[in-house]
Each structure stands twice: as C-alpha cells, then as structure tokens.
Amino acid sequence: MSSFYGVELTSRLLLGTSRYPSPAVLERAVKASGAEVVTVSLRRESGAGRAGQAFWSLIQSMGVRVLPNTAGCHSVKEAVTTAHMARELFDTPWIKLEVIGEPDTLQPDVFGLVEAARILSEDGFEVFPYTTEDLVVAERLVEAGCRVLMPWGAPIGSARGLNNVYGLRSMRAHFPEIPLVVDAGLGVPSHAAAAMELGYDAVLLNTAVAEAGDPVEMARAFALGVEAGRAAYLARPMEPRDMAVPSTPVIGKAALGD
C-alpha cells in the first residue's frame, strides 16, 4: 500500500486519461489497470463545452481519485493559474505540477518548477512535481513543500524506459521517506517492473497504454509488471556477481574412477 499526502492507495499504478481511441476504451483500460488515481489535464477537460462535461462525467463514474495536471504550461504564472483553476473545477488540493522548459524533450524547467511548487504549497496545494532525477532540484522541491517527487524515466511519450538507472537509484537512497513515482517515458511493463525493483512507490504512465494496439490488455500488463516489480523489491534480490556460482552443490558429488 502506498501513501500520498496521507491518502492510502492499494494500487501503485497511476494512469493518464489522454490519447485513448475512445471514452469506452479509456474506461475499460482504467478498470483493467486497477488504478485508483488518474491524471486529467485542465485543457482537455475544459475544451469543447459539452464534450468536456461528458468526459468529466465519465471520470466521476469510474470512482477514481483525480490528479489534475498543468500539462502544457511553460511558465510559473501559467502553471499557477492553471492549478488554481483545476482546484476550483475538480475540488481537490492535489496537483501534478508541470512547467515545461524544452519543447523537444518536454524536459521540466526545474527553476520555474521549484518556484511554482513553493507558491502552490504555500497556498494549500499538495504538489506532485514532474521533475528530473537531479538530487539538488529534488532537495529544493522538498524545501518548497513537496511531499512527493515524480522524476521522469525518459522524455514524455518516448517509451524509452529508465534512461538513468543510477540517478533514479540515487534518488531512492537519498530520499528514503519521500514517496517517489517514476513519471513519463515508460513503454512496456518491464520498464515499470524495473522502476519498482529500485524501490519506487509507484509509476505514472499514459501513452504506453493509450497508444498500444490493445490499450485494455496493455493496462492489465502494466498492472502485473508493477506488482511483480514491487514483490521482487520486497524479496530483496541477490546482488550481481562477476563470477559464475553453480546452482547445483558440488560437495558430495560422486567421484568416478578411470
């Protein structure tokens, strides 16, 4: 069971809600994943009037917790304004904070991210910052009031997996008491399992499921990957070795004469 700002969750898979072929497929994928938290972009929800209302009604019918995000924001002012609108619309203090600094990789603007996180935390938000695996930035985010950190695995939608395993492992060791979520860049369930094997508390993904040939089956597969990775972490895997070690004991082996 994982805990975010005092909310206990049984599922360690958080799922995005954009880019699905249809609302029906989205609903089935969320159910198959077992996710208890879904992310929702304010821009998606507020667009097209009736369409936005129908989408919000669908999310409400799923019985999941909503984590609004500031996707697409490129400045502190834009992100803070979007967060306030999201809190009013979705009636939750939770906000996934994105401040994008580079258009090709969608890498976070970590300077703006820290500033926006401080402003929002002081205003009563419970911030889930989309960040890099940089430890100094992470320290500043915690000092700004964040009680969850969400480092990327790879650029959003890239399906490249964990680009910097060393950095992610270092972050886990550096923040043993802070809930950590790998957010972005995962492509297949083995990527999610690898993140969980590092001791991460959860993973958040969207494109890998939404753009799969069968999003429902992929959602189910990711749920299994997260479960397997967590179980492996708790089982304390053996350390890698430089030399082979026989799996069959050699003591007591019969000696055959000439």
Side-chain angles (χ1 to χ4, degrees), residues 236-254:
R236 299 189 302 278
M238 62 176 285
E239 293 295 326
R241 296 165 173 159
D242 293 329
M243 302 293 291
V245 176
S247 58
T248 302
V250 296
I251 297 176
K253 181 179 178 181

Side-chain angles (χ1 to χ4, degrees), residues 17 22-23 26 40-60 89-90:
T17 57
S22 70
L26 165 61
V40 176
S41 168
L42 181 64
R43 284 174 169 78
R44 173 173 173 77
E45 162 58 26
S46 58
R50 292 182 181 177
Q53 185 58 49
F55 176 77
W56 177 225
S57 296
L58 174 63
I59 297 299
Q60 287 180 305
L89 179 62
F90 297 112

Side-chain angles (χ1 to χ4, degrees), residues 66-172:
V66 173
L67 174 58
N69 68 38
T70 62
C73 292
H74 292 261
S75 70
V76 173
K77 181 178 180 180
E78 187 180 14
V80 169
T81 300
T82 301
H84 278 275
M85 293 171 63
R87 182 166 64 178
E88 184 174 337
L89 179 62
F90 297 112
D91 191 28
T92 176
W94 281 15
I95 191 72
K96 179 189 171 187
L97 181 61
E98 296 182 25
V99 182
I100 301 301
E102 207 286 316
D104 292 326
T105 62
L106 300 181
Q107 180 168 328
D109 170 2
V110 294
F111 306 101
L113 182 68
V114 171
E115 182 181 350
R118 179 173 290 107
I119 293 170
L120 292 173
S121 294
E122 291 175 353
D123 199 32
F125 284 87
E126 295 172 343
V127 180
F128 293 68
Y130 164 62
T131 183
T132 67
E133 66 277 19
D134 187 288
L135 295 182
V136 177
V137 174
E139 287 279 12
R140 299 295 181 269
L141 288 168
V142 172
E143 291 171 2
C146 298
R147 297 296 172 261
V148 177
L149 296 172
M150 302 179 71
W152 64 349
I156 294 171
S158 67
R160 299 187 63 86
L162 307 183
N163 276 356
N164 185 359
V165 173
Y166 171 80
L168 292 171
R169 183 183 289 116
S170 297
M171 181 174 280
R172 178 70 287 176

